[in-house]
Amino acid sequence: MCWSATADLVAGAGVTAVGLACVTRVRGVRDLPLAALPLLLGAHQIVEAMVWDAGGGSGPATVVWAVIALPLLAVWVPAGVWCAAPPRARRRLGAVLAVGVVTAAGLAYGLAVGPVTAEIRGHTIGYVTDLSHPVLLIAGYLLATVGSLLLSGDRRLLTLGVFVAVGALVCWVLWRLEFVSTWCAFAAVCSVLLLGWVRARPAPR
């Protein structure tokens, strides 16, 4: 997610601080899961710093990184959006959440039966695991995470969804080229956008 262990630690600490600001400013309990997302992203980056220090491999830090990145986020994001969404949007978001749960189950099964390994490639880390039906799992993952934001019925979350879609594509291209990993900066911007969303939320009636 970042280009070195130090960068991951610094970015992780910064994103975690934004997450704490989000959580302390929440006005309604239904907003809490989505507001806490930066805390998870910050922890994720700190875990990857441990992957850097371990030189990659298939140790505990690699496994924890994969669990957060794959099955956990596939459920956390759509669940958080469903909780925070207006009632008119919850039916369609319930279907998206169901896709996220099924996708997370497939991803969790793949991590349970096959090893996940991390390989340091210059300023990036490549994570490898065997997944059955990877195209379907990727499609389900994108629908659950990006799709839930786009279908949220909330203007700020829709903007975040567009940013996530475009930003993730740019980060993925840079990562595939093994140029530099920019996911940490991407997560930091997403976290700041979520803080703006939290601050703009009305108080519950």
Side-chain angles (χ1 to χ4, degrees):
M1 288 175 60
C2 239
W3 53 87
S4 69
T6 301
D8 261 319
L9 281 175
V10 172
V15 172
T16 300
V18 175
L20 289 173
C22 287
V23 170
T24 57
R25 285 169 171 77
V26 164
R27 298 182 181 182
V29 68
R30 295 188 68 95
D31 293 345
L32 187 57
L34 195 55
L37 180 59
L39 291 177
L40 181 62
L41 297 178
H44 198 209
Q45 293 182 12
I46 292 170
V47 168
E48 189 174 72
M50 301 177 188
V51 177
W52 279 105
D53 287 338
S58 56
T62 299
V63 175
V64 171
W65 186 96
V67 168
I68 295 174
L70 299 176
L72 185 53
L73 281 176
V75 174
W76 190 301
V77 174
V81 174
W82 182 88
C83 287
R88 66 181 183 277
R90 286 183 195 146
R91 176 173 295 181
R92 63 175 179 263
L93 288 172
V96 175
L97 176 57
V99 171
V101 171
V102 172
T103 300
L107 293 169
Y109 177 79
L111 295 178
V113 301
V116 55
T117 58
E119 178 184 349
I120 295 177
R121 305 167 184 169
H123 294 293
T124 67
I125 298 180
Y127 294 88
V128 180
T129 187
D130 290 327
L131 297 173
S132 61
H133 310 294
V135 174
L136 288 177
L137 290 174
I138 291 172
Y141 188 92
L142 291 175
L143 177 59
T145 53
V146 180
S148 62
L149 293 168
L150 296 177
L151 297 172
S152 64
D154 182 288
R155 181 178 57 83
R156 285 180 177 269
L157 292 183
L158 172 61
T159 301
L160 176 60
V162 173
F163 174 79
V164 168
V166 175
L169 178 61
V170 172
C171 290
W172 178 80
V173 169
L174 292 175
W175 175 79
R176 288 288 294 177
L177 293 173
E178 297 183 6
F179 174 65
V180 67
S181 183
T182 53
W183 293 101
C184 55
F186 173 62
V189 176
C190 288
S191 298
V192 171
L193 291 175
L194 271 175
L195 177 59
W197 170 78
V198 168
R199 297 182 67 173
R201 294 286 282 173
R205 296 178 181 177

